Amino acid sequence: MAVLVTLLILSACTLHVEGERTSKKKSKHALSARGGTVPLYSEKKCGEPNCTDWCEDLPFPSKDTKITFFYAEWCPCAQQIFNLLLGLNKLEAWFARVELKCISNLADKGKGKEYALSGLIDPNHYGASSSNCKPWYANRDAEHPYGTNSVWKELGKIDQFNQYVFAKEKAKDPSMKYHMHPAIVIERELQADKKYVGTPVIMGWLQKHSEEI
């Protein structure tokens, strides 16, 4: 009888432990679905702010100079820029200062849909409406296996011989040859607009000129 009681107690303990494990897994999944505990931008896949290359000599444009910002909401690199500006209390000011060119939003199919549940910063909460974003990933085809839309094509036509784009792109997809985002495009008088790329350099430039945003 004593052996039977002991076995019953051990069985109950085992069920309790397994129940706790299952509960923790469900809790962790629920946190992930609500936004997650470790947002993708915190992994810093796109590097740290680094004011090198073009950042060293590029001043912040005057108020009369148009700045255009190309980005995909779910892109880890764009998310790192959002997070940096949020930490500087300048995200809303940046969105208000620039002309926004959204390549793809959090609700876009494929990766966008997956990333929407990963605790990312939603630009809609800071003045950048997703209503300006057009489907990109949803437009995949044989010629554009990663996606395409009019904003993507516009970015590709700007400053096609940009040395930093050439240095960065690996041409997995011919349609991406002159694309890299996030990208800042600055209007120039009597010259073609200039494209500035490289997430660490963009972050370094924004950090350097945060008081001017």
Side-chain angles (χ1 to χ4, degrees):
M1 185 67 179
V3 174
L4 179 59
V5 172
T6 301
L7 289 174
L8 287 172
I9 292 172
L10 288 173
S11 178
C13 289
T14 302
L15 288 172
H16 177 70
V17 171
E18 288 301 322
E20 283 190 330
R21 288 175 182 169
T22 302
S23 177
K24 286 179 180 178
K25 286 180 181 179
K26 288 182 178 179
S27 177
K28 184 178 180 181
H29 178 73
L31 283 171
S32 177
R34 291 199 304 271
T37 54
V38 183
L40 289 177
Y41 58 76
S42 67
E43 298 178 13
K44 299 183 179 179
K45 293 183 177 180
C46 301
E48 300 277 0
N50 188 6
C51 190
T52 56
D53 299 329
W54 53 264
C55 171
E56 296 176 334
D57 301 318
L58 181 67
F60 196 83
S62 67
K63 293 181 179 180
D64 297 327
T65 301
K66 185 172 78 171
I67 305 173
T68 307
F69 181 50
F70 288 81
Y71 64 99
E73 289 183 348
W74 47 262
C75 172
C77 297
Q79 284 288 320
Q80 278 190 231
I81 292 174
F82 299 160
N83 187 52
L84 173 77
L85 289 169
L86 193 58
L88 295 170
N89 198 29
K90 292 292 183 177
L91 184 55
E92 289 183 84
W94 172 249
F95 285 152
R97 171 63 178 85
V98 302
E99 179 178 346
L100 296 167
K101 293 284 186 175
C102 178
I103 297 167
S104 175
N105 65 19
L106 291 177
D108 202 0
K109 289 185 178 180
K111 289 185 177 180
K113 187 174 181 180
E114 294 167 14
Y115 287 160
L117 301 176
S118 301
L120 300 189
I121 296 168
D122 186 346
N124 287 277
H125 298 158
Y126 302 93
S129 175
S130 290
S131 62
N132 298 320
C133 303
K134 297 182 179 180
W136 177 78
Y137 192 81
N139 295 332
R140 291 170 297 161
D141 56 29
E143 186 179 355
H144 307 94
Y146 293 91
T148 188
N149 59 26
S150 59
V151 178
W152 178 251
K153 292 176 181 177
E154 179 183 351
L155 177 59
K157 291 177 181 178
I158 298 171
D159 193 11
Q160 292 192 359
F161 300 102
N162 185 294
Q163 61 176 315
Y164 300 110
V165 174
F166 276 131
K168 184 71 176 179
E169 290 295 343
K170 300 303 181 183
K172 291 181 180 179
D173 171 4
S175 73
M176 298 179 74
K177 186 174 180 180
Y178 300 113
H179 297 87
M180 186 165 67
H181 64 88
I184 293 171
V185 176
I186 297 179
E187 182 182 48
R188 299 192 298 178
E189 291 186 11
L190 306 177
Q191 294 182 12
D193 294 350
K194 186 68 178 174
K195 179 162 53 181
Y196 296 94
V197 296
T199 301
V201 187
I202 290 175
M203 290 193 295
W205 185 73
L206 291 171
Q207 196 173 59
K208 178 181 178 180
H209 298 287
S210 62
E211 296 301 319
E212 301 171 72
I213 296 176

